Amino acid sequence: MSSSMFNNNSISISVSDEDSDELGRMRVRVRSRKRKKPGYRFKNELARRLVRKLVRYWTVLIFIAAAGLLLFEASRIGRKSSLVVRSEFIRNPNIVHSDHSSMNKLSLEKKSEGNLNRLDPTTRVVGGVRERCLKLLPPEELEHLDIPQRKESTSPVNKVVYISENDSPFLRGTTTQSGQHTEATRFNLFTGNQTLDQRDTSFKVNDTAAVHCGFYSKNGGFEVSKEDRNYMDSCQVVVSTCAFGGGDDLYQPIGMSEASLRKVCYVAFWDEITVASQQSAGHRIGDDGFIGKWRIVVVRDLPFSDQRLNGKIPKMLGHRLFPHAKYSIWVDSKSQFRRDPLGVLEVLLWRSNSVLAISEHGARSSVYDEAKAVVKKNKARPEEVEVQLTQYRHDGFPEDKRFNGKKALAEASVIVREHTPLTNMFMCLWFNEVVHFTSRDQLSFPYVLWRLKVLKDINMFPVCTRKDLVNSMGHLRKAKPLVIILALFSPSSHHSKPPPWVALSLYIQQPPYKAEPSRNTPPVVQSDAGAFIFRRTLTEGPKNTSRVVGKAQGFIIPVERFVHSAFNIIHLTFDTPEYAGSLSVQAKHVGQEDTEELTVVGGTGSFAFARGVAVFGRQTTSDVDATYHVKLQLRFPNQSRHHVHSTIPG
């Protein structure tokens, strides 16, 4: 039955040969697809494993790649350095070193910095066309370039008289005697004691201008040898730099023509500590006074404890150091001058009919913005910057960001100028500002330009021009403060190790003023934060005509009386032949008595690490013109104890 049912329901299908072949191929394809699946799964699994490994170890792979790139770049730099060393030795064979091995070692260390000895021009794109930032004359014209004859002067200033201690007609009021000053900051026998009234008068333009301008006394310091002085007197065009305190190395100038080598003086000012540090590095001054192309002028008896302020002397007072020079180019010690000096004078001064060319600031345009940056970068104390800006606001100085269409703020690492009476006067006024206030000359340059008004032939050249003029190396190390230099080289004149227990007696004087403060002598500087910043004279005796030994400066919260406040910070700064430094005095809780005891919390210079007390006693009854007697009891850690009582030694 079942067999018949099967036979009845069966269906016969005829298959041709072609269909049979096609069916076979279909079966083969089906089988092949089935065989490929395990391999496909294997490849996918391998890819997933690789991805997991990469996710887990990607930081290691990046580190290996970075290390390989670093090694490759290091090998390239090493090859470049060796080539530069050989080419520079061929170009400057007269560089003086202690021996060839030390020279090669120093060259390898310094040329590897990358910027040294680069002569390639700096360019910029103007209107879609790339052009050179400093458009010097062709080399063949530079070789025949000469110093032009001076034209007949049309300047409102034709003569500058420099005030000295013997010029009593220029010293009026309370400053008729040498050494007396009612608003002292860092004034001394080098600068002369310029009052705020004299400062204000100095900006007035006359045919003959009388200004303070350094070298106030023969005993003021900044001494150079007779041989160096004779050399400096012979210079008509000068490229100068300085390094005080051993801060920077000396970079040989490059790119000059033969004409400039014959006609231009290259002068580097060093002090004894720089001489010592450079000799230890293999840079020795030759018997002729030169290292390579630089004439090394060793300066003794620097007048300021602030090394930055000492550096302003050759930077700003080149007309006093080189009395017969017609032109000068100043280059900061952090840079290598790499252009022909006569060509630079031609393009920056003669071609543009300018008497002063200075590099503009690359980051900011406003003095007030620059002041914030100075404080933020700890380049000056906030209180001294505030004193300077408050004075400028009081004088009506606007927040101008442009001068003749260009930036008013200068970077001032390169200064090119003609030595005319007007530019000499400008540099004197600028120098006096950095003595009065902070040594950050960028803050005072626009102010002096604004006050003088008549100096308009200025070329404020852009950043790219400055980069074409110099190879910037940056400051290599911090300059050693002058107190260390004095301890090493002048122990007879300064205390290299102050006594462990010192008692000093001195006086804080109010600047004299009437009930209505004059425009030029603000007695108290009111701030917006409910505090005031004060500046007082520190004298040896109780009278305001007593010898000035320093200054008292600080701020008080809230504004009440000199010592009657909830929180005081007072800085006592000394500048005498015996003591150079400062003390910080602090009081958190002060009563209402006329005698208060404050805490000495630290010091600098001769008073480094000092601790002790400062007893303030009121000498006068009026708050307006109060004078305070200060008795200091100072201790110095880790030294044997003995007691000394004195005023500031005379």
Side-chain angles (χ1 to χ4, degrees), residues 235-283:
C235 297
Q236 290 195 351
V237 179
V238 184
V239 177
S240 62
T241 188
C242 82
F244 294 145
D248 290 317
D249 289 343
L250 185 66
Y251 305 109
Q252 291 298 319
I254 57 177
M256 67 287 293
S257 64
E258 291 296 328
S260 288
L261 288 175
R262 295 191 305 269
K263 299 173 184 178
V264 178
C265 298
Y266 294 88
V267 178
F269 294 92
W270 285 1
D271 60 353
E272 289 102 327
I273 197 67
T274 302
V275 173
S277 64
Q278 290 295 307
Q279 284 181 346
S280 65
H283 294 182

Side-chain angles (χ1 to χ4, degrees), residues 532-560:
F532 71 81
I533 297 173
F534 63 89
R535 297 170 63 218
R536 301 289 183 263
T537 300
L538 206 57
T539 63
E540 184 180 34
K543 296 182 179 180
N544 62 1
T545 57
S546 301
R547 183 170 76 101
V548 173
V549 297
K551 64 179 179 179
Q553 182 171 291
F555 61 88
I556 295 176
I557 304 174
V559 178
E560 291 178 1

Side-chain angles (χ1 to χ4, degrees), residues 4 21 24 44 70 87 94 119 189 219 287 290 297 329 373 382 403 468:
S4 63
D21 293 341
N44 285 344
L70 182 63
S87 63
N94 295 324
L119 280 170
L189 289 177
N219 299 319
D287 295 336
F290 283 81
V297 174
I329 300 174
F403 174 78
D468 205 321

Side-chain angles (χ1 to χ4, degrees), residues 365-424:
S365 300
S366 168
V367 168
Y368 298 99
D369 292 340
E370 177 67 10
K372 295 175 184 177
V374 166
V375 172
K376 184 178 180 180
K377 295 178 181 179
N378 297 318
K379 293 185 176 181
R381 297 195 305 272
E383 59 270 19
E384 64 179 350
V385 172
E386 182 60 29
V387 167
Q388 183 171 8
L389 294 187
T390 302
Q391 180 68 54
Y392 287 180
R393 292 189 188 101
H394 183 272
D395 294 340
F397 179 59
E399 295 193 27
D400 287 342
K401 297 184 178 182
R402 312 297 291 179
F403 174 78
N404 288 348
K406 295 187 177 182
K407 284 186 179 180
L409 197 64
E411 188 264 350
S413 65
V414 179
I415 304 174
V416 183
R417 70 184 181 101
E418 182 179 359
H419 290 196
T420 68
L422 184 56
T423 60
N424 293 347

Side-chain angles (χ1 to χ4, degrees), residues 140-256:
E140 58 274 11
E141 294 187 38
L142 291 178
E143 290 295 342
H144 297 90
L145 199 59
D146 206 349
I147 303 171
Q149 296 294 324
R150 282 182 175 171
K151 299 178 182 179
E152 185 176 350
S153 175
T154 58
S155 171
V157 178
N158 291 310
K159 184 179 180 181
V160 179
V161 176
Y162 306 120
I163 295 175
S164 72
E165 61 183 339
N166 299 320
D167 294 323
S168 57
F170 300 110
L171 304 176
R172 301 180 178 88
T174 59
T175 59
T176 54
Q177 299 180 22
S178 174
Q180 297 178 3
H181 181 50
T182 60
E183 189 77 4
T185 53
R186 291 167 289 190
F187 292 98
N188 52 34
L189 289 177
F190 180 84
T191 62
N193 295 322
Q194 185 193 55
T195 65
L196 284 175
D197 286 334
Q198 290 172 334
R199 169 183 174 270
D200 190 62
T201 303
S202 67
F203 288 100
K204 295 180 179 179
V205 176
N206 298 301
D207 182 74
T208 299
V211 294
H212 290 79
C213 199
F215 306 168
Y216 180 80
S217 167
K218 291 183 179 179
N219 299 319
F222 208 85
E223 298 178 2
V224 300
S225 68
K226 183 178 179 180
E227 293 77 11
D228 288 333
R229 176 66 64 186
N230 291 337
Y231 178 82
M232 293 158 64
D233 287 346
S234 69
C235 297
Q236 290 195 351
V237 179
V238 184
V239 177
S240 62
T241 188
C242 82
F244 294 145
D248 290 317
D249 289 343
L250 185 66
Y251 305 109
Q252 291 298 319
I254 57 177
M256 67 287 293

